[in-house]
Amino acid sequence: MFPALLVLIIACSDLVLCYGTSSIISPATFRSSSNSSNISVLLQGYININLFYKKLSKPPIIISINSTNQEKFQASASFEKEREVLNLSWAHNGSNITWCLLFQFSKFENSYSLNKISLYYELPDLPGSKRASNNQSIFSVSIGSHYSCQAEQDIWLDNYSPCPVSVNLTLSQLKVQAFKQGSEPEFHGLSKFTSVVIIYLSRNILIV
């Protein structure tokens, strides 16, 4: 009886130990600062990129970005007086092909907006670099504030040239601040919060 009880205790201890070391998935966080001025851009959220073949019977290509793999994605940014671009780049499937996801922000007198998202990609069966973008404004907030949306935002990116692939981007638990004073990894100012699901179908917008 006692040896069996000892084995049971050891098995339970191993089970608890394995459970305690499991990874916790949370939103990815990317930040880039200017080398010449005290400004930065900060983005946090779950990012999913989906590429669907329109006619070919091939499985979709799915890229999920979160806290468990964000180190594979290199964040950089360009800073201008009225424009900032956050660039996430990575080697697709460990190859020498680099994919880039760009978030473009425009600054106005007292506010800024995320007015363009672009994906630059290349596939082995579709030689040559491809670009897909969404030119609709995603949000607009006051300078010094940040944007926050817990709901999933579903965005379709249009290819700039004919392509047998459809590109879809989903963002959830998104927090963004551009034209941010200082390089601290915290969001500043008031938050413009929305909990609605926003679906972008090409150039048409549907709010659910």
Side-chain angles (χ1 to χ4, degrees):
M1 175 179 179
F2 291 104
L5 180 60
L6 180 60
V7 171
L8 178 61
I9 293 174
I10 293 174
C12 291
S13 299
D14 289 343
L15 179 61
V16 172
L17 179 61
C18 292
Y19 181 79
T21 57
S22 61
S23 299
I24 298 176
I25 300 177
S26 57
T29 301
F30 297 102
R31 174 171 55 96
S32 186
S33 304
S34 171
N35 294 325
S36 58
S37 59
N38 190 34
I39 59 173
S40 62
V41 56
L42 180 62
L43 183 147
Q44 183 181 86
Y46 293 101
I47 304 172
N48 289 304
I49 304 169
N50 306 285
L51 283 77
F52 303 97
Y53 286 88
K54 298 176 182 178
K55 297 181 179 180
L56 302 177
S57 57
K58 292 186 176 183
I61 298 172
I62 301 174
I63 301 168
S64 297
I65 307 174
N66 54 58
S67 62
T68 65
N69 63 357
Q70 68 177 39
E71 70 279 355
K72 298 179 181 179
F73 300 83
Q74 181 67 39
S76 61
S78 61
F79 298 90
E80 300 176 10
K81 184 177 180 180
E82 296 181 348
R83 190 180 78 151
E84 291 182 0
V85 179
L86 176 64
N87 178 13
L88 305 183
S89 59
W90 66 96
H92 180 60
N93 284 341
S95 67
N96 58 355
I97 299 176
T98 300
W99 287 30
C100 298
L101 182 64
L102 277 65
F103 298 86
Q104 179 176 303
F105 304 90
S106 294
K107 183 180 180 181
F108 304 97
E109 184 175 357
N110 297 310
S111 64
Y112 67 91
S113 66
L114 172 56
N115 62 342
K116 188 175 185 179
I117 301 177
S118 300
L119 176 69
Y120 290 81
Y121 65 99
E122 185 175 343
L123 299 172
D125 54 345
L126 298 173
S129 179
K130 310 294 182 185
R131 178 172 63 149
S133 298
N134 175 74
N135 294 315
Q136 294 284 351
S137 177
I138 308 300
F139 66 80
S140 179
V141 295
S142 301
I143 296 292
S145 300
H146 66 275
Y147 170 82
S148 177
C149 182
Q150 294 296 307
E152 182 177 280
Q153 301 180 66
D154 192 33
I155 304 168
W156 289 94
L157 307 182
D158 295 327
N159 284 289
Y160 272 69
S161 58
C163 182
V165 173
S166 297
V167 182
N168 173 260
L169 175 71
T170 60
L171 306 170
S172 59
Q173 296 190 32
L174 181 67
K175 294 179 72 174
V176 185
Q177 186 166 12
F179 303 97
K180 177 178 175 290
Q181 290 295 323
S183 58
E184 301 84 0
E186 293 86 20
F187 292 93
H188 294 166
L190 299 175
S191 169
K192 181 177 181 180
F193 177 80
T194 177
S195 59
V196 300
V197 178
I198 305 176
I199 303 175
Y200 294 83
L201 298 175
S202 185
R203 299 184 184 277
N204 299 316
I205 302 177
L206 173 64
I207 300 180
V208 182

